[in-house]
mmCIF file of all heavy atoms in Angstrom:
data_model
loop_
_atom_site.group_PDB
_atom_site.id
_atom_site.type_symbol
_atom_site.label_atom_id
_atom_site.label_comp_id
_atom_site.label_asym_id
_atom_site.label_seq_id
_atom_site.Cartn_x
_atom_site.Cartn_y
_atom_site.Cartn_z
ATOM 1 N N ALA A 119 82.959 116.938 106.970
ATOM 2 C CA ALA A 119 84.046 117.237 107.903
ATOM 3 C C ALA A 119 85.362 117.322 107.148
ATOM 4 O O ALA A 119 85.672 116.477 106.319
ATOM 5 C CB ALA A 119 84.131 116.168 108.972
ATOM 6 N N GLU A 120 86.105 118.357 107.457
ATOM 7 C CA GLU A 120 87.403 118.530 106.814
ATOM 8 C C GLU A 120 88.500 118.116 107.789
ATOM 9 O O GLU A 120 88.359 118.260 108.994
ATOM 10 C CB GLU A 120 87.596 119.993 106.417
ATOM 11 C CG GLU A 120 86.610 120.440 105.377
ATOM 12 C CD GLU A 120 86.770 121.907 105.043
ATOM 13 O OE1 GLU A 120 87.809 122.491 105.389
ATOM 14 O OE2 GLU A 120 85.838 122.458 104.456
ATOM 15 N N ASN A 121 89.570 117.644 107.264
ATOM 16 C CA ASN A 121 90.733 117.247 108.064
ATOM 17 C C ASN A 121 90.355 116.256 109.156
ATOM 18 O O ASN A 121 90.836 116.334 110.269
ATOM 19 C CB ASN A 121 91.416 118.472 108.688
ATOM 20 C CG ASN A 121 91.911 119.423 107.642
ATOM 21 O OD1 ASN A 121 92.249 119.012 106.540
ATOM 22 N ND2 ASN A 121 91.940 120.694 107.975
ATOM 23 N N LEU A 122 89.463 115.343 108.802
ATOM 24 C CA LEU A 122 88.984 114.395 109.795
ATOM 25 C C LEU A 122 90.058 113.405 110.222
ATOM 26 O O LEU A 122 90.165 113.051 111.386
ATOM 27 C CB LEU A 122 87.772 113.639 109.237
ATOM 28 C CG LEU A 122 86.994 112.793 110.209
ATOM 29 C CD1 LEU A 122 86.454 113.652 111.333
ATOM 30 C CD2 LEU A 122 85.875 112.075 109.495
ATOM 31 N N HIS A 123 90.858 112.968 109.281
ATOM 32 C CA HIS A 123 91.848 111.957 109.619
ATOM 33 C C HIS A 123 93.274 112.493 109.613
ATOM 34 O O HIS A 123 94.215 111.733 109.561
ATOM 35 C CB HIS A 123 91.724 110.773 108.668
ATOM 36 C CG HIS A 123 91.808 111.152 107.229
ATOM 37 N ND1 HIS A 123 90.728 111.610 106.539
ATOM 38 C CD2 HIS A 123 92.831 111.161 106.369
ATOM 39 C CE1 HIS A 123 91.095 111.873 105.307
ATOM 40 N NE2 HIS A 123 92.362 111.615 105.180
ATOM 41 N N VAL A 124 93.423 113.790 109.694
ATOM 42 C CA VAL A 124 94.754 114.387 109.756
ATOM 43 C C VAL A 124 95.098 114.593 111.225
ATOM 44 O O VAL A 124 94.434 115.327 111.940
ATOM 45 C CB VAL A 124 94.785 115.738 109.004
ATOM 46 C CG1 VAL A 124 96.145 116.391 109.170
ATOM 47 C CG2 VAL A 124 94.430 115.537 107.551
ATOM 48 N N ASN A 125 96.114 113.905 111.680
ATOM 49 C CA ASN A 125 96.585 114.009 113.068
ATOM 50 C C ASN A 125 95.456 113.802 114.065
ATOM 51 O O ASN A 125 95.361 114.505 115.062
ATOM 52 C CB ASN A 125 97.253 115.360 113.324
ATOM 53 C CG ASN A 125 98.528 115.529 112.555
ATOM 54 O OD1 ASN A 125 99.177 114.553 112.212
ATOM 55 N ND2 ASN A 125 98.885 116.765 112.278
ATOM 56 N N ASN A 126 94.602 112.832 113.807
ATOM 57 C CA ASN A 126 93.478 112.649 114.713
ATOM 58 C C ASN A 126 93.917 112.130 116.076
ATOM 59 O O ASN A 126 93.318 112.466 117.087
ATOM 60 C CB ASN A 126 92.391 111.767 114.102
ATOM 61 C CG ASN A 126 92.866 110.384 113.773
ATOM 62 O OD1 ASN A 126 94.001 110.024 114.020
ATOM 63 N ND2 ASN A 126 91.962 109.603 113.206
ATOM 64 N N THR A 127 95.004 111.365 116.124
ATOM 65 C CA THR A 127 95.502 110.911 117.414
ATOM 66 C C THR A 127 95.996 112.085 118.251
ATOM 67 O O THR A 127 95.719 112.169 119.449
ATOM 68 C CB THR A 127 96.636 109.905 117.199
ATOM 69 O OG1 THR A 127 96.170 108.854 116.352
ATOM 70 C CG2 THR A 127 97.106 109.322 118.500
ATOM 71 N N GLU A 128 96.695 113.001 117.610
ATOM 72 C CA GLU A 128 97.178 114.186 118.318
ATOM 73 C C GLU A 128 96.011 115.049 118.793
ATOM 74 O O GLU A 128 96.015 115.532 119.929
ATOM 75 C CB GLU A 128 98.087 114.992 117.402
ATOM 76 C CG GLU A 128 98.668 116.225 118.045
ATOM 77 C CD GLU A 128 99.550 117.000 117.069
ATOM 78 O OE1 GLU A 128 99.867 116.470 115.989
ATOM 79 O OE2 GLU A 128 99.896 118.145 117.389
ATOM 80 N N GLN A 129 95.019 115.213 117.947
ATOM 81 C CA GLN A 129 93.851 116.018 118.328
ATOM 82 C C GLN A 129 93.093 115.383 119.492
ATOM 83 O O GLN A 129 92.655 116.084 120.415
ATOM 84 C CB GLN A 129 92.916 116.188 117.133
ATOM 85 C CG GLN A 129 93.510 117.030 116.028
ATOM 86 C CD GLN A 129 92.599 117.074 114.815
ATOM 87 O OE1 GLN A 129 91.447 116.682 114.875
ATOM 88 N NE2 GLN A 129 93.128 117.547 113.705
ATOM 89 N N ILE A 130 92.967 114.057 119.481
ATOM 90 C CA ILE A 130 92.287 113.373 120.579
ATOM 91 C C ILE A 130 93.091 113.518 121.866
ATOM 92 O O ILE A 130 92.545 113.786 122.936
ATOM 93 C CB ILE A 130 92.061 111.884 120.231
ATOM 94 C CG1 ILE A 130 90.999 111.766 119.144
ATOM 95 C CG2 ILE A 130 91.638 111.090 121.464
ATOM 96 C CD1 ILE A 130 90.848 110.376 118.584
ATOM 97 N N GLY A 131 94.412 113.365 121.773
ATOM 98 C CA GLY A 131 95.260 113.504 122.952
ATOM 99 C C GLY A 131 95.192 114.892 123.550
ATOM 100 O O GLY A 131 95.101 115.055 124.765
ATOM 101 N N ILE A 132 95.225 115.885 122.701
ATOM 102 C CA ILE A 132 95.152 117.263 123.204
ATOM 103 C C ILE A 132 93.807 117.514 123.880
ATOM 104 O O ILE A 132 93.742 118.079 124.983
ATOM 105 C CB ILE A 132 95.390 118.262 122.049
ATOM 106 C CG1 ILE A 132 96.859 118.199 121.615
ATOM 107 C CG2 ILE A 132 94.995 119.671 122.453
ATOM 108 C CD1 ILE A 132 97.153 118.977 120.346
ATOM 109 N N ALA A 133 92.725 117.052 123.240
ATOM 110 C CA ALA A 133 91.395 117.260 123.835
ATOM 111 C C ALA A 133 91.242 116.473 125.124
ATOM 112 O O ALA A 133 90.704 116.980 126.116
ATOM 113 C CB ALA A 133 90.319 116.856 122.838
ATOM 114 N N LEU A 134 91.759 115.235 125.132
ATOM 115 C CA LEU A 134 91.597 114.380 126.312
ATOM 116 C C LEU A 134 92.375 114.910 127.499
ATOM 117 O O LEU A 134 91.846 114.979 128.614
ATOM 118 C CB LEU A 134 92.053 112.960 125.968
ATOM 119 C CG LEU A 134 91.819 111.892 127.022
ATOM 120 C CD1 LEU A 134 90.332 111.699 127.255
ATOM 121 C CD2 LEU A 134 92.455 110.605 126.571
ATOM 122 N N TYR A 135 93.611 115.309 127.282
ATOM 123 C CA TYR A 135 94.450 115.720 128.411
ATOM 124 C C TYR A 135 94.382 117.209 128.714
ATOM 125 O O TYR A 135 94.977 117.659 129.685
ATOM 126 C CB TYR A 135 95.891 115.283 128.181
ATOM 127 C CG TYR A 135 96.038 113.798 128.313
ATOM 128 C CD1 TYR A 135 96.292 113.013 127.205
ATOM 129 C CD2 TYR A 135 95.874 113.180 129.543
ATOM 130 C CE1 TYR A 135 96.404 111.642 127.322
ATOM 131 C CE2 TYR A 135 95.977 111.823 129.674
ATOM 132 C CZ TYR A 135 96.238 111.059 128.561
ATOM 133 O OH TYR A 135 96.328 109.707 128.685
ATOM 134 N N SER A 136 93.678 117.984 127.930
ATOM 135 C CA SER A 136 93.527 119.401 128.269
ATOM 136 C C SER A 136 92.116 119.744 128.715
ATOM 137 O O SER A 136 91.936 120.548 129.611
ATOM 138 C CB SER A 136 93.938 120.278 127.084
ATOM 139 O OG SER A 136 93.089 120.021 125.985
ATOM 140 N N HIS A 137 91.116 119.107 128.125
ATOM 141 C CA HIS A 137 89.738 119.462 128.467
ATOM 142 C C HIS A 137 89.014 118.385 129.276
ATOM 143 O O HIS A 137 88.099 118.690 130.027
ATOM 144 C CB HIS A 137 88.939 119.730 127.186
ATOM 145 C CG HIS A 137 89.510 120.815 126.341
ATOM 146 N ND1 HIS A 137 89.542 122.133 126.757
ATOM 147 C CD2 HIS A 137 90.091 120.792 125.123
ATOM 148 C CE1 HIS A 137 90.111 122.872 125.815
ATOM 149 N NE2 HIS A 137 90.459 122.074 124.810
ATOM 150 N N TYR A 138 89.409 117.123 129.099
ATOM 151 C CA TYR A 138 88.637 116.031 129.707
ATOM 152 C C TYR A 138 89.487 115.182 130.637
ATOM 153 O O TYR A 138 89.256 113.986 130.766
ATOM 154 C CB TYR A 138 88.042 115.160 128.607
ATOM 155 C CG TYR A 138 87.154 115.919 127.664
ATOM 156 C CD1 TYR A 138 87.559 116.203 126.367
ATOM 157 C CD2 TYR A 138 85.908 116.371 128.083
ATOM 158 C CE1 TYR A 138 86.752 116.914 125.507
ATOM 159 C CE2 TYR A 138 85.092 117.077 127.235
ATOM 160 C CZ TYR A 138 85.523 117.348 125.938
ATOM 161 O OH TYR A 138 84.720 118.049 125.093
ATOM 162 N N ILE A 139 90.452 115.756 131.321
ATOM 163 C CA ILE A 139 91.340 114.966 132.166
ATOM 164 C C ILE A 139 90.609 114.444 133.400
ATOM 165 O O ILE A 139 90.805 113.290 133.810
ATOM 166 C CB ILE A 139 92.617 115.754 132.549
ATOM 167 C CG1 ILE A 139 93.612 114.851 133.269
ATOM 168 C CG2 ILE A 139 92.286 116.963 133.383
ATOM 169 C CD1 ILE A 139 94.195 113.790 132.424
ATOM 170 N N ILE A 140 89.729 115.229 134.002
ATOM 171 C CA ILE A 140 89.009 114.784 135.209
ATOM 172 C C ILE A 140 88.049 113.639 134.876
ATOM 173 O O ILE A 140 88.072 112.603 135.564
ATOM 174 C CB ILE A 140 88.268 115.975 135.870
ATOM 175 C CG1 ILE A 140 89.283 117.052 136.303
ATOM 176 C CG2 ILE A 140 87.434 115.511 137.060
ATOM 177 C CD1 ILE A 140 90.279 116.603 137.338
ATOM 178 N N PRO A 141 87.210 113.752 133.842
ATOM 179 C CA PRO A 141 86.366 112.591 133.506
ATOM 180 C C PRO A 141 87.184 111.360 133.133
ATOM 181 O O PRO A 141 86.808 110.231 133.477
ATOM 182 C CB PRO A 141 85.537 113.076 132.310
ATOM 183 C CG PRO A 141 85.526 114.545 132.419
ATOM 184 C CD PRO A 141 86.834 114.917 133.042
ATOM 185 N N PHE A 142 88.323 111.555 132.469
ATOM 186 C CA PHE A 142 89.179 110.426 132.104
ATOM 187 C C PHE A 142 89.683 109.702 133.345
ATOM 188 O O PHE A 142 89.627 108.469 133.434
ATOM 189 C CB PHE A 142 90.343 110.945 131.253
ATOM 190 C CG PHE A 142 91.311 109.891 130.831
ATOM 191 C CD1 PHE A 142 90.982 108.986 129.832
ATOM 192 C CD2 PHE A 142 92.553 109.802 131.422
ATOM 193 C CE1 PHE A 142 91.868 108.012 129.438
ATOM 194 C CE2 PHE A 142 93.445 108.839 131.037
ATOM 195 C CZ PHE A 142 93.108 107.938 130.049
ATOM 196 N N GLU A 143 90.137 110.439 134.319
ATOM 197 C CA GLU A 143 90.634 109.826 135.548
ATOM 198 C C GLU A 143 89.505 109.200 136.352
ATOM 199 O O GLU A 143 89.673 108.158 136.974
ATOM 200 C CB GLU A 143 91.390 110.858 136.396
ATOM 201 C CG GLU A 143 92.688 111.308 135.769
ATOM 202 C CD GLU A 143 93.688 110.181 135.595
ATOM 203 O OE1 GLU A 143 93.701 109.252 136.419
ATOM 204 O OE2 GLU A 143 94.438 110.216 134.608
ATOM 205 N N MET A 144 88.326 109.830 136.342
ATOM 206 C CA MET A 144 87.190 109.266 137.090
ATOM 207 C C MET A 144 86.756 107.937 136.479
ATOM 208 O O MET A 144 86.393 107.005 137.212
ATOM 209 C CB MET A 144 86.036 110.260 137.121
ATOM 210 C CG MET A 144 86.335 111.467 138.005
ATOM 211 S SD MET A 144 84.954 112.579 138.125
ATOM 212 C CE MET A 144 83.849 111.622 139.121
ATOM 213 N N VAL A 145 86.781 107.838 135.177
ATOM 214 C CA VAL A 145 86.419 106.578 134.531
ATOM 215 C C VAL A 145 87.403 105.486 134.931
ATOM 216 O O VAL A 145 87.011 104.348 135.208
ATOM 217 C CB VAL A 145 86.359 106.758 133.003
ATOM 218 C CG1 VAL A 145 86.331 105.417 132.294
ATOM 219 C CG2 VAL A 145 85.144 107.570 132.624
#
Side-chain angles (χ1 to χ4, degrees):
E120 295 177 16
N121 299 331
L122 191 60
H123 55 277
V124 176
N125 293 334
N126 61 2
T127 305
E128 181 181 349
Q129 293 175 13
I130 289 171
I132 290 171
L134 186 64
Y135 289 110
S136 62
H137 302 294
Y138 302 108
I139 188 67
I140 299 298
F142 179 74
E143 292 298 328
M144 290 184 71
V145 166

